[in-house]
Amino acid sequence: MAAFIDNVSSFPTVVFTTLLVFALLYWGLVIAGAADLDNFDFDLDVEADGGTGIALLSWLGMRRVPLSVTLSVAVLVAWMACYLYVDWFEGWVGGVAGELVIGLAALITALPATALAAVPLEPFFKTVLAEKNASLVGKMCRVRSGQVDQESGVGVVIDGTDGDVVQIRSRRGALSRGDDALIISYDPEANAFQVEAKHALETSST
């Protein structure tokens, strides 16, 4: 146990240990409903930006699953790889230069592992293509994120579909996780659906 603590708290493993702690805290907030999966995500515009950096991000699966998931997997794999590399090669490679080499090797190991992990995870974060958006207007969805307001929100379509995950927004008050809402329109500029809370519709109809 002492050897384990010494490894994870020493350079270079401690760098990935710190990142892993932040990742665990973030997922704790997601589970508690205090944070959303899309809080740290962004759109990758390949045509506009291009370049090696964007191609690498696409290869890692950041266009298939949320960025928060991709980074969490990468950090976890890098942490495990760094721990093992230090345990195996610390006696062979010494000094700061050697520690940097081990840390870099762990990071490189995490890249293909993250890309492979994105493949089975993709169905859990499947989004709806733009050409299919019109068919979802008038269907019911259930809030999956911590809340839905005018700026952000994620829902799952529950009305006769296989559980499509969609971006949703609400202009008439915030919705909470688990609330049901009716999809009333699609905003192509925001790439999100406008929804109306089910309880609000029931109140207005009485």
Side-chain angles (χ1 to χ4, degrees), residues 5-60:
I5 295 177
D6 183 62
N7 189 333
V8 300
S9 60
S10 302
F11 187 80
T13 314
V14 68
V15 175
F16 299 109
T17 300
T18 303
L19 293 175
L20 185 61
V21 169
F22 278 111
L24 292 174
L25 290 174
Y26 168 74
W27 286 108
L29 292 174
V30 171
I31 294 173
D36 298 336
L37 281 176
D38 59 345
N39 276 355
F40 304 106
D41 290 338
F42 55 87
D43 295 327
L44 299 178
D45 191 345
V46 178
E47 294 182 359
D49 297 328
T52 304
I54 295 299
L56 176 61
L57 295 178
S58 299
W59 177 69
L60 288 176

Side-chain angles (χ1 to χ4, degrees), residues 41 85 99 156 179 188 197 206:
D41 290 338
Y85 292 163
E99 293 171 343
V156 180
D179 287 348
T206 58

Side-chain angles (χ1 to χ4, degrees):
M1 186 65 180
F4 172 81
I5 295 177
D6 183 62
N7 189 333
V8 300
S9 60
S10 302
F11 187 80
T13 314
V14 68
V15 175
F16 299 109
T17 300
T18 303
L19 293 175
L20 185 61
V21 169
F22 278 111
L24 292 174
L25 290 174
Y26 168 74
W27 286 108
L29 292 174
V30 171
I31 294 173
D36 298 336
L37 281 176
D38 59 345
N39 276 355
F40 304 106
D41 290 338
F42 55 87
D43 295 327
L44 299 178
D45 191 345
V46 178
E47 294 182 359
D49 297 328
T52 304
I54 295 299
L56 176 61
L57 295 178
S58 299
W59 177 69
L60 288 176
M62 290 184 181
R63 301 191 71 206
R64 297 194 295 268
V65 299
L67 176 60
S68 53
V69 175
T70 303
L71 293 180
S72 297
V73 172
V75 167
L76 177 60
V77 174
W79 178 80
M80 292 189 297
C82 193
Y83 178 89
L84 292 176
Y85 292 163
V86 168
D87 189 49
W88 294 342
F89 305 119
E90 186 178 27
W92 298 0
V93 182
V96 176
E99 293 171 343
L100 290 174
V101 169
I102 290 177
L104 181 60
L107 186 60
I108 293 174
T109 300
L111 297 182
T114 302
L116 290 174
V119 176
L121 290 175
E122 182 178 2
F124 296 99
F125 304 98
K126 180 169 62 69
T127 55
V128 181
L129 297 177
E131 57 267 23
K132 297 181 180 178
N133 287 332
S135 66
L136 296 182
V137 175
K139 295 183 178 295
M140 297 297 298
C141 69
R142 181 162 295 146
V143 177
R144 194 179 76 170
S145 54
Q147 70 171 15
V148 177
D149 53 28
Q150 297 184 35
E151 303 297 331
S152 65
V154 178
V156 180
V157 181
I158 58 175
D159 189 0
T161 72
D162 56 355
D164 289 323
V165 178
V166 293
Q167 293 289 324
I168 57 177
R169 305 289 185 265
S170 174
R171 295 177 179 173
R172 299 184 181 180
L175 304 178
S176 303
R177 186 192 302 272
D179 287 348
D180 290 343
L182 176 68
I183 298 175
I184 58 176
S185 65
Y186 174 70
D187 182 355
E189 293 186 2
N191 191 27
F193 293 91
Q194 293 293 331
V195 299
E196 187 79 21
K198 181 180 178 180
H199 62 79
L201 294 172
E202 293 174 343
T203 302
S204 61
S205 63
T206 58

